[in-house]
Amino acid sequence: EIDARTVDDHVPSNPRTLAAALAEATGWINRAKQPVIFFGVELYRFGLEDEALALIEASGIPAAVTLLDKGAIEERSPLFLGVYAGGLGRDDVRRYVEESDCLIMLGTLLTDINLGIATANIDPAKCIHITRDRLSVGLHTYENVRLDDFVCGLADAGITPRLDRDHPHAPVARPVEISDAERETPVTVAHLFDRLASYLTEETIVIADPGDALFASIDLPVQEARAFLSPAFYASLGFAVPAAIGAQC
C-alpha cells in the first residue's frame, strides 16, 4: 500500500496555488445547495481514507462512489448515497448526483465504465475534481497541487457543516425467507443478485468479473470497506478466480 505522503515528495504543492484553489473550492462548496463528495479510488490507493472520511463526517456532505471505487468506503454510513454509474445505476442516485450544483470528486477516475458507458450526465463546470495528476475547480485548472495537500486542506478551509439527510441511501443486506411462490419464479440476473444480497455478512468479500457480475453488483450491499474487488478500470476477463485466491491468502 502506497501512502500519498511518500509519492512525489520532491514536488511539493505550490503554496500560493494551493491556497487559491482551496479558497475557490471552499466558496463553491459553501454556496452549493446540493453538494456531493465522490470518494475516489485514489484516496484508498494513497492512504487518504481517514482524512476523506473525516471531511465527509465533519461537513455532513453525502458521499458517492463510482463502480471502480465501490468498496473504498463503508456503505452502511448514513452519509453514503450509493454507487453512481450513469444510467446503469439506481435512478435516485443518478438524479441526486446529476442535479448537484457542486460535485467534489476526490481521487475519482472518469473512465468509460465509471461513467456508465456514455450514459452519465456530469457537467465539468460544476465539478471540483482532483486526482494525483491534476486539479480543476470548474473550468479553472490549477497546476502543482498535490492530492493529499488538497484533501487535508479542505478539512481546515472553513466548510460550513450540513445537517440535511434527505438524500438516497445505499441498500442494506437483510436475510430473506424463500417462499413457495418464489421457488416457481424464473431465474433472472436481478432476482439472483437480490438473493445473493441476503447472504452478505461483515466477513464476506465480493469479487466480480466483468459483465453481468460486475454491473449487477452495483447495489450489492457490501458491508465493509475494502470488501468489494473488481476490474472496473480495464474490465479484464478472468479476474475473479486469481483475485479470490489472493483475497483468501
Side-chain angles (χ1 to χ4, degrees), residues 23-83:
E24 184 177 12
T26 302
W28 271 46
I29 296 168
N30 286 341
R31 289 191 299 271
K33 296 181 179 179
Q34 188 171 301
V36 173
I37 292 176
F38 269 73
F39 194 104
V41 69
E42 286 194 337
L43 297 175
Y44 174 68
R45 289 177 177 174
F46 298 139
L48 293 165
E49 311 104 300
D50 291 344
E51 289 83 353
L53 286 172
L55 172 64
I56 292 167
E57 292 169 1
S59 67
I61 298 173
V65 295
T66 66
L67 190 51
L68 181 61
D69 316 321
K70 183 175 173 68
I73 182 175
E74 185 174 319
E75 298 190 357
R76 291 175 294 182
S77 166
L79 286 168
F80 183 63
L81 284 172
V83 178

Side-chain angles (χ1 to χ4, degrees), residues 185-242:
T185 302
V187 175
T188 64
V189 172
H191 188 197
L192 172 63
F193 275 77
D194 283 342
R195 272 282 148 227
L196 289 176
S198 69
Y199 291 103
L200 299 183
T201 71
E202 294 181 358
E203 298 182 355
T204 305
I205 296 176
V206 178
I207 300 170
D209 243 319
D212 285 344
L214 176 59
F215 294 118
S217 297
I218 288 174
D219 289 312
L220 271 184
V222 177
Q223 298 193 31
E224 295 291 327
R226 299 176 295 281
F228 182 84
L229 303 172
S230 74
F233 189 80
Y234 291 112
S236 305
L237 292 169
F239 169 84
V241 171

Side-chain angles (χ1 to χ4, degrees), residues 103-154:
L103 294 179
I104 308 148
M105 296 184 166
L106 306 178
T108 301
L109 304 181
L110 301 182
T111 67
D112 289 344
I113 293 179
N114 279 348
L115 295 176
I117 310 180
T119 61
N121 183 21
I122 291 178
D123 184 356
K126 297 180 180 178
C127 296
I128 298 167
H129 185 202
I130 186 165
T131 64
R132 178 187 174 185
D133 299 318
R134 66 186 299 274
L135 165 64
S136 60
V137 180
L139 302 181
H140 296 169
T141 299
Y142 291 88
E143 302 289 345
N144 301 321
V145 175
R146 288 165 48 110
L147 174 64
D148 56 335
D149 289 337
F150 187 78
V151 172
C152 295
L154 282 178

